[in-house]
């Protein structure tokens, strides 16, 4: 396939590297003025979960190919902070064509999303990967290092929920890259639930840890039954906020059952998972994009307040974090 990755972020570059490894043509659109514009090679350290549930660490070098055409089989968009509308304006201005694979945290309803995406066929998806990119400048040379982890599956909208013409080709793309596809009942609702769960986790980490030392704060959570039990209780609050958007939660029992157990029991399961699952632990350690984390938390917080959903722990924790950031 001919694939265009928008930007040079963690998710796009991680999947771009495995797509290229599988023999596909992968190019990047990087806007003028970006501090990544002159990056041509990236040193990649990948904890790869496709062959082993424990993950296999591999190192490679990824060559960044700039866009060379206007039409692609797939345009891969993974951006943070609710900037999809801005990206779509760029795509229209540049006259790019292709089916869009939209892999973002989304707190829009379907009607508003369709309006933003107007003129393009698109399919909703969500990556199961994470990491961070470090940029170093040595004189006139800009170097980049990507530290990332990749799971063996990827969330994507089911065929009967989308009208794109090349659904099978996109499925084959992931199959060729040794990545299994999973189809939630409703991809947009699944993303809302995922964001709600993440907002709860972030709020507990931020309230009980040092916002200037995210890795230590994450480890503190993963190793504490008390904090994990608090996280479970907070997730119950934030998933009620997600449900207030009209989600029928019975379709997501597989994702939510562990949070229905007594909090202390759920905490034991979570602590054991973090202790034994290298990939889950690593993705927690690497997810440190403050702007993205704020977008997730603020979206859920504002929705809860608007819909008058009781969530006292989540609201208080997030308000305390905001005060910490002001005082920082």
């Amino acid at each position: 396939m001919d694939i265009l990755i928008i930007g040079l972020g963690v998710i796009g570059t991680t999947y771009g590297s495995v797509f290229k490894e599988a023999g596909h043509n992968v190019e990047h659109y990087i806007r003028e003025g970006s501090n990544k514009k002159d990056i041509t090679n990236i040193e990649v350290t990948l904890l790869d979960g496709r062959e082993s549930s424990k993950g296999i660490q591999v190192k490679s070098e990824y060559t960044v190919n700039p866009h060379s055409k206007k039409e692609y089989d797939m345009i891969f968009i993974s951006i943070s902070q609710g900037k999809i509308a801005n990206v779509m304006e760029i795509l229209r201005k540049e006259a790019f064509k292709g089916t869009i694979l939209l892999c973002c945290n989304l707190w829009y309803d379907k009607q508003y999303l369709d309006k933003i995406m107007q003129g393009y066929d698109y399919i909703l998806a969500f990556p199961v990967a994470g990491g961070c990119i470090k940029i170093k400048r040595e004189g006139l040379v800009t170097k980049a290092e990507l530290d990332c982890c990749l799971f063996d599956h990827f969330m994507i909208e089911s065929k009967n929920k989308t009208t794109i013409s090349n659904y099978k080709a996109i499925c084959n793309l992931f199959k060729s890259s040794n990545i299994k596809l999973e189809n939630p009942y409703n991809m947009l609702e699944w993303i809302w639930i995922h964001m709600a769960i993440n907002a709860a986790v972030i709020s507990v980490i931020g309230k009980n840890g040092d916002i200037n030392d995210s890795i230590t704060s994450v480890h503190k959570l993963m190793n504490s039954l008390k904090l994990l039990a608090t996280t479970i209780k907070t997730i119950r609050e934030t998933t009620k906020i997600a449900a207030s958007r009209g989600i029928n939660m019975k379709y997501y029992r597989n994702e939510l059952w562990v949070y229905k157990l007594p909090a202390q029991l759920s905490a034991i399961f979570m602590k054991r998972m973090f202790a034994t699952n290298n990939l889950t632990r690593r993705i927690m350690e690497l997810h440190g994009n403050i702007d993205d984390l704020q977008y997730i938390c603020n979206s859920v917080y504002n929705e809860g307040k608007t819909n008058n959903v009781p969530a006292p722990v989540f609201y208080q924790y997030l308000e305390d974090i905001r005060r910490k950031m002001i005082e920082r």
Side-chain angles (χ1 to χ4, degrees), residues 10-80:
V10 169
I11 299 301
T13 307
T14 299
Y15 283 99
S17 67
V18 298
F19 294 156
K20 182 179 285 189
E21 181 186 72
H24 301 278
N25 177 50
V26 180
E27 299 179 354
H28 289 257
Y29 172 82
I30 305 173
R31 62 178 173 78
E32 293 294 333
S34 169
N35 65 343
K36 299 176 182 177
K37 184 67 177 177
D38 56 347
I39 293 174
T40 56
N41 292 281
I42 299 177
E43 294 180 11
V44 179
T45 300
L46 171 66
L47 184 62
D48 191 345
R50 291 175 294 169
E51 296 289 347
S52 167
S53 59
K54 294 183 178 181
I56 301 170
Q57 186 152 300
V58 294
K59 290 183 177 290
S60 62
E61 186 156 311
Y62 178 68
T63 300
V64 180
N65 294 326
H67 71 277
S68 63
K69 57 187 76 175
K70 293 296 184 180
E71 188 164 351
Y72 293 84
D73 298 311
M74 187 183 80
I75 301 173
F76 189 107
I77 300 178
S78 177
I79 54 173
S80 61

Side-chain angles (χ1 to χ4, degrees), residues 190-207:
W190 185 93
I191 293 170
W192 293 347
I193 293 170
H194 177 83
M195 287 179 64
I197 292 170
N198 275 355
V201 174
I202 296 161
S203 70
V204 176
I205 291 173
K207 167 66 177 178

Side-chain angles (χ1 to χ4, degrees), residues 4-276:
L4 178 66
I5 309 285
I6 301 301
L8 199 61
V10 169
I11 299 301
T13 307
T14 299
Y15 283 99
S17 67
V18 298
F19 294 156
K20 182 179 285 189
E21 181 186 72
H24 301 278
N25 177 50
V26 180
E27 299 179 354
H28 289 257
Y29 172 82
I30 305 173
R31 62 178 173 78
E32 293 294 333
S34 169
N35 65 343
K36 299 176 182 177
K37 184 67 177 177
D38 56 347
I39 293 174
T40 56
N41 292 281
I42 299 177
E43 294 180 11
V44 179
T45 300
L46 171 66
L47 184 62
D48 191 345
R50 291 175 294 169
E51 296 289 347
S52 167
S53 59
K54 294 183 178 181
I56 301 170
Q57 186 152 300
V58 294
K59 290 183 177 290
S60 62
E61 186 156 311
Y62 178 68
T63 300
V64 180
N65 294 326
H67 71 277
S68 63
K69 57 187 76 175
K70 293 296 184 180
E71 188 164 351
Y72 293 84
D73 298 311
M74 187 183 80
I75 301 173
F76 189 107
I77 300 178
S78 177
I79 54 173
S80 61
Q81 309 162 47
K83 294 183 177 179
I84 297 171
N86 294 338
V87 169
M88 294 310 300
E89 286 182 12
I90 292 171
L91 294 189
R92 293 185 183 99
K93 182 180 179 180
E94 296 285 348
F96 287 126
K97 295 181 179 179
T99 298
I100 292 176
L101 188 71
L102 192 57
C103 307
C104 307
N105 286 308
L106 300 169
W107 202 252
Y108 309 129
D109 59 36
K110 189 65 165 63
Q111 185 177 7
Y112 182 64
L113 186 58
D114 284 342
K115 183 179 179 181
I116 292 175
M117 305 301 292
Q118 189 172 11
Y120 282 87
D121 291 334
Y122 74 96
I123 180 170
L124 294 177
F126 203 82
V128 192
C132 63
I133 287 184
K134 296 179 181 179
I135 299 174
K136 299 178 180 179
R137 303 196 183 280
E138 298 178 1
L140 299 176
V141 179
T142 302
K143 295 185 177 181
E145 298 174 357
L146 170 63
D147 189 356
C148 56
C149 60
L150 176 71
F151 286 70
D152 67 347
H153 62 285
F154 185 89
M155 311 301 296
I156 194 168
E157 201 166 13
S158 58
K159 186 176 182 180
N160 64 347
K161 296 287 179 68
T162 184
T163 58
I164 66 169
S165 60
N166 59 341
Y167 187 91
K168 185 176 181 180
I170 290 175
C171 291
N172 287 337
L173 164 69
F174 283 92
K175 184 178 180 180
S176 72
S177 304
N178 197 24
I179 298 173
K180 298 187 291 287
L181 296 178
E182 295 186 7
N183 309 117
Y185 174 76
N186 180 297
M187 192 70 241
L188 186 57
E189 291 181 349
W190 185 93
I191 293 170
W192 293 347
I193 293 170
H194 177 83
M195 287 179 64
I197 292 170
N198 275 355
V201 174
I202 296 161
S203 70
V204 176
I205 291 173
K207 167 66 177 178
N208 295 281
D210 181 354
I211 57 178
N212 296 311
D213 188 353
S214 60
I215 292 180
T216 299
S217 300
V218 165
H219 285 171
K220 183 178 179 181
L221 174 77
M222 292 191 291
N223 294 322
S224 169
L225 285 174
K226 181 179 178 180
L227 289 181
L228 289 171
T230 301
T231 301
I232 297 298
K233 295 173 183 176
T234 311
I235 287 171
R236 291 172 184 166
E237 292 184 349
T238 56
T239 51
K240 286 180 181 177
I241 294 174
S244 74
R245 310 196 92 195
I247 301 173
N248 188 336
M249 303 299 273
K250 75 177 184 180
Y251 293 117
Y252 306 97
R253 287 172 180 159
N254 289 341
E255 290 87 350
L256 298 172
W257 71 268
V258 71
Y259 309 121
K260 303 295 184 182
L261 299 174
Q264 292 298 330
L265 181 58
S266 295
I268 291 171
F269 284 140
M270 289 184 73
K271 191 171 186 292
R272 186 177 301 162
M273 175 188 66
F274 289 133
T276 59

